[in-house]
Amino acid sequence: MKKYFLPTLTAAVLTACAPTAQTTTTAPATTAPEPAAQPVAPNWQQQADAFLKEYSTEYQRLYAQSSEAEWRSNTHIVAGDTANSGATARANERMAAFTGSAANIQRLRELLEHKQDLTELQVKQLQTALYNAANSPQTIADVVKRRIKAETQQTEKLYGFDYKYQGKSVTTNDLDELLRKEKNPLKRQQIWEASKAIGPTLKEGLLNLRDLRNQTVQALGYPDYFSYQASDYGMSREEMMTLVRKINEELRPLYRELHTYARYELAKKYGVKQVPDYLPASWLPNRWGQDWSAMVEVKGLNLDPVLAKKGAEWQVKQAERFYQSLGFPALPTSFYEKSSLYPLPKGATYKKNNHASAWHMDLNQDVRSLMSVEGNTEWYETTHHELGHIYYYLTYANPEVPVLLRQGANRGYHEAMGSLMGLAATQKPFLAGLGLVDAKSQTDQTQTLLKEALNYAVFIPFASGVMSEWENSFYADKLPADQLNARWWALAKQYQGIVPPTTRGEQYLDPATKTHINDDPAQYYDYALSYVILFQLHDHIAKKILKQDPHATNYYGSKEVGQFLADIMRPGASKDWRMVLKEKTGEDLSARAMVEYFEPLMAYLKQQNKGRKYTM
Ligand code: X8Z
Ligand code: ZN
């Protein structure tokens, strides 16, 4: 889950505001006696400055209050307790009443009508404020209020759920570990089913939220909530879908090989004679089949034992050391004091959000992360991912960047930074430098690349296919309530080549088991884009800065790499994201680097798959 990435405005709304050109006229210096007083043209820049100053101060204050309440609601969930949800709803209502107020919207539009007279930075801020207003327009205050309440309730249901396996309460960490390790297919099916048991409890709330989310943004002229989120990139819904479909197409040949390989290898592993045409979801080492890397263990590079020994706290500290080695500062002490980094102690009387997130509490130095870190490879990567958000926050929280523009160049960049560091932190030269693996031991490069492909390439059809297509149908096409699960599994079959172990009718709601469907709605393509961007950045760093093979890098200690990343982070959203990429890598957004990275694997997979039946 991403927290509080406040987006920038779309072309759609800009046009709706119909800016009329008007140039500021400064009175020429006169020597002659003053003529009769002329009406003075307003100085729009001064007016915008005055407005933005006041607006930003109040915005930041309410934002911090809302974050604080949300933090409590996500770290201290008690069944039946209404104190937290009440406080959170009230804080969010205050925020909504301000950002969506009719007076503010009117003033923002008025100022934007004089766009030509304003600085670029002013225009960006005003557009952001108007974009935020569309998330809570007070012209429909009642809808906004109901939405806030429904969102708080959904969070409680989502993270208050008691998962049960073999009659005992288990955490999602437990379920994930079981799915990575269990070899008995029948047990695997039970574990997988246990992980889906939450779905039906979220159905009513999700359907209600769909309508409320659509209605809120429609009041300011967006056709639907998916379009609203896409507009944050300056793109229409159709443009975003075209982009993610293209990314999916480009990675499809590799995915097809991986899919064929996995069907045969897993059938062997589970002792199933008849290789299935589609992968049963319960065969895969991840609840949604979005990451299959646990399928492969590379001899000499298996991190799990050493990470288990080092422990969870070491992982967080180690990730921080990595960022520091690049020149980033130590984390503020408050990060360690106020974050919630580890699983709750056994027997705790409350629950917490079980999905990792990073929070910019006050849009300044109060940064926190909510995780349940355990000593294993998955959390090792996730820790690097979350610290990427944290360092992004800290880097753009500087006097040059106005509060309203303290966001990523786009949301995908925010996700890319830490994932990039996660990839870098698993490459052999880096691990050897750290003493986590033996530098002298021979390791199989093909197996290493295969394991990486099972993580990064396998993710694409899930993110840009299943998740994005489903949410597009859900919000924009108003997918009927009796087709939610059917659509999900049709997409899983089409894009991932995955089928459920048994028929999953509409009494289930499997998409809702993905936390983002509930609390990070209509934005999952961010992660698909982030993987594409991260390979572009990694390719540039490896080849141009470190002069190393992208498959075997060691970023550790490189101030130049740190500079490169900090330069992208520092301006936040005050620079156009397309220009940033072009300036920093010389390229437009493209899957080229990602495809190229995995290219050496294709020959191996084709060889392995010789004589096997392809079904996708
Ligand atoms: O949700 C996340 C992050 C939180 S911002 C841990 N990720 C996606 C997921 O878990 O589904 C990271 C990659 C994909
Ligand atoms: Zn993230």
Side-chain angles (χ1 to χ4, degrees):
M1 178 176 64
K2 293 165 280 137
K3 268 283 154 195
Y4 300 114
F5 294 159
L6 299 161
T8 42
L9 187 68
T10 76
V13 169
L14 267 179
T15 352
C17 298
T20 44
Q22 182 178 329
T23 35
T24 328
T25 44
T26 28
T30 46
T31 43
E34 286 285 321
Q38 293 275 323
V40 181
N43 184 328
W44 290 109
Q45 290 196 6
Q46 267 175 21
Q47 298 217 6
D49 260 348
F51 174 81
L52 283 169
K53 190 162 175 248
E54 204 175 314
Y55 180 98
S56 301
T57 307
E58 183 63 358
Y59 178 79
Q60 194 171 13
R61 189 180 74 83
L62 293 169
Y63 186 101
Q65 285 182 2
S66 156
S67 311
E68 205 63 70
E70 285 280 1
W71 178 262
R72 178 95 187 146
S73 279
N74 278 273
T75 53
H76 212 101
I77 302 166
V78 181
D81 167 58
T82 51
N84 281 350
S85 55
T88 300
R90 283 191 298 278
N92 288 345
E93 279 164 22
R94 283 195 296 272
M95 180 78 178
F98 174 72
T99 52
S101 86
N104 276 337
I105 293 174
Q106 195 196 339
R107 185 65 176 147
L108 288 164
R109 285 182 163 158
E110 200 172 80
L111 289 166
L112 280 167
E113 274 177 23
H114 300 278
K115 214 176 136 193
Q116 276 82 348
D117 303 326
L118 304 176
T119 68
E120 205 185 311
L121 206 60
Q122 286 177 326
V123 173
K124 271 196 190 304
Q125 292 174 76
L126 296 169
Q127 288 173 341
T128 302
L130 196 52
Y131 179 89
N132 294 341
N135 218 2
S136 56
Q138 293 301 293
T139 44
I140 48 159
D142 176 54
V143 173
V144 174
K145 195 169 168 175
R146 278 189 285 137
R147 180 176 150 196
I148 289 169
K149 187 161 176 220
E151 275 176 340
T152 316
Q153 282 172 351
Q154 193 79 347
T155 303
E156 275 182 11
K157 286 216 177 90
L158 178 61
Y159 300 113
F161 188 74
D162 192 25
Y163 290 90
K164 287 232 152 78
Y165 174 57
Q166 295 185 331
K168 286 202 202 86
S169 291
V170 287
T171 64
T172 47
N173 268 354
D174 296 334
L175 292 168
D176 290 345
E177 180 73 1
L178 285 164
L179 282 178
R180 284 193 293 265
K181 301 274 157 72
E182 181 57 57
K183 291 202 173 68
N184 177 323
L186 263 175
K187 282 194 188 154
R188 293 193 63 86
Q189 187 178 327
Q190 288 165 5
I191 300 161
W192 184 86
E193 281 165 357
S195 79
K196 302 292 156 188
I198 188 176
T201 65
L202 299 166
K203 187 163 181 171
E204 195 190 328
L206 186 61
L207 283 165
N208 184 30
L209 277 171
R210 164 176 62 188
D211 294 341
L212 295 170
R213 284 169 179 156
N214 276 343
Q215 282 171 39
T216 6
V217 299
Q218 277 161 359
L220 276 205
Y222 292 91
D224 58 84
Y225 197 70
F226 195 101
S227 302
Y228 174 69
Q229 291 294 347
S231 76
D232 193 15
Y233 286 75
M235 290 164 79
S236 69
R237 177 172 70 85
E238 292 77 9
E239 284 167 340
M240 184 55 82
M241 291 312 294
T242 303
L243 175 61
V244 296
R245 284 171 188 151
K246 181 160 173 276
I247 291 170
N248 203 55
E249 286 291 307
E250 288 175 279
L251 282 144
R252 184 83 171 181
L254 173 59
Y255 188 72
R256 195 166 164 264
E257 297 297 336
L258 293 166
H259 180 259
T260 309
Y261 178 83
R263 279 167 40 234
Y264 282 82
E265 294 303 314
L266 291 175
K268 219 188 298 168
K269 180 172 169 182
Y270 301 134
V272 176
K273 284 218 181 68
Q274 177 75 34
V275 177
D277 283 353
Y278 295 94
L279 281 162
S282 53
W283 280 19
L284 297 163
N286 171 280
R287 282 178 270 162
W288 306 276
Q290 70 181 65
D291 174 0
W292 309 347
S293 54
M295 260 179 72
V296 170
E297 203 178 283
V298 186
K299 250 178 117 189
L301 272 181
N302 182 17
L303 292 180
D304 281 329
V306 60
L307 293 174
K309 211 163 103 218
K310 296 266 188 195
E313 293 187 25
W314 178 88
Q315 276 179 188
V316 180
K317 283 290 185 189
Q318 172 50 38
E320 181 188 19
R321 270 195 295 277
F322 182 18
Y323 283 89
Q324 281 183 273
S325 84
L326 304 185
F328 288 96
L331 291 168
T333 349
S334 63
F335 173 84
Y336 286 104
E337 290 162 358
K338 294 184 166 178
S339 287
S340 172
L341 299 171
Y342 308 105
L344 292 175
K346 284 227 164 11
T349 53
Y350 59 96
K351 289 188 182 288
K352 67 184 240 188
N353 182 328
N354 53 37
H355 193 79
S357 54
W359 300 52
H360 201 180
M361 300 297 292
D362 59 351
L363 297 172
N364 198 358
Q365 301 302 306
D366 187 351
V367 290
R368 302 179 201 171
S369 180
L370 203 184
M371 294 193 270
S372 298
V373 182
E374 289 180 342
N376 61 43
T377 311
E378 197 157 321
W379 277 110
Y380 175 75
E381 281 180 31
T382 302
T383 302
H384 285 81
H385 176 95
E386 297 310 330
L387 289 201
H389 288 306
I390 298 291
Y391 277 110
Y392 214 143
Y393 297 147
L394 291 171
T395 309
Y396 57 54
N398 68 66
E400 301 298 312
V401 182
V403 161
L404 281 165
L405 301 179
R406 294 187 180 177
Q407 314 165 46
N410 65 31
R411 298 193 308 257
Y413 278 75
H414 228 298
E415 298 304 331
M417 287 302 171
S419 291
L420 168 66
M421 296 286 281
L423 169 71
T426 52
Q427 292 199 328
K428 191 181 172 190
F430 177 93
L431 293 168
L434 219 63
L436 286 185
V437 303
D438 180 359
K440 290 191 294 293
S441 77
Q442 282 291 325
T443 48
D444 188 326
Q445 287 175 22
T446 307
Q447 289 302 302
T448 307
L449 195 55
L450 174 62
K451 192 176 173 71
E452 287 174 340
L454 292 171
N455 181 350
Y456 300 95
V458 156
F459 182 69
I460 296 298
F462 176 70
S464 69
V466 180
M467 285 290 283
S468 300
E469 295 285 352
W470 192 87
E471 290 199 295
N472 181 37
S473 302
F474 187 62
Y475 288 101
D477 300 338
K478 286 222 70 177
L479 186 61
D482 62 358
Q483 291 172 32
L484 305 181
N485 223 35
R487 174 86 179 133
W488 177 259
W489 286 109
L491 290 166
K493 189 170 181 185
Q494 182 190 343
Y495 284 96
Q496 296 179 286
I498 294 177
V499 291
T502 60
T503 310
R504 305 285 292 178
E506 297 299 325
Q507 70 273 35
Y508 302 110
L509 188 58
D510 298 320
T513 67
K514 190 73 197 152
T515 61
H516 303 68
I517 294 283
N518 302 283
D519 64 5
D520 193 27
Q523 301 161 57
Y524 204 79
Y525 48 79
D526 292 353
Y527 297 104
L529 300 180
S530 83
Y531 279 25
V532 166
I533 294 170
L534 96 78
F535 277 95
Q536 290 188 271
L537 298 179
H538 179 68
D539 192 62
H540 179 89
I541 290 172
K543 292 181 185 159
K544 305 275 163 59
I545 303 179
L546 298 172
K547 320 259 190 268
Q548 294 170 1
D549 174 1
H551 303 98
T553 63
N554 186 0
Y555 290 18
Y556 203 90
S558 168
K559 298 287 184 287
E560 221 183 317
V561 171
Q563 205 56 57
F564 175 79
L565 296 176
D567 283 349
I568 296 175
M569 293 175 172
R570 200 173 303 103
S574 58
K575 264 187 160 176
D576 179 79
W577 68 264
R578 287 189 172 85
M579 272 163 53
V580 172
L581 202 58
K582 191 93 193 177
E583 263 174 44
K584 300 307 285 185
T585 68
E587 272 192 320
D588 291 323
L589 185 78
S590 138
R592 186 225 31 104
M594 187 168 180
V595 170
E596 189 183 296
Y597 186 91
F598 292 111
E599 182 53 37
L601 192 61
M602 284 299 273
Y604 169 80
L605 286 171
K606 281 191 179 145
Q607 177 64 33
Q608 293 292 305
N609 290 335
K610 218 175 209 155
R612 290 175 171 174
K613 180 180 165 195
Y614 288 77
T615 55
M616 298 192 62

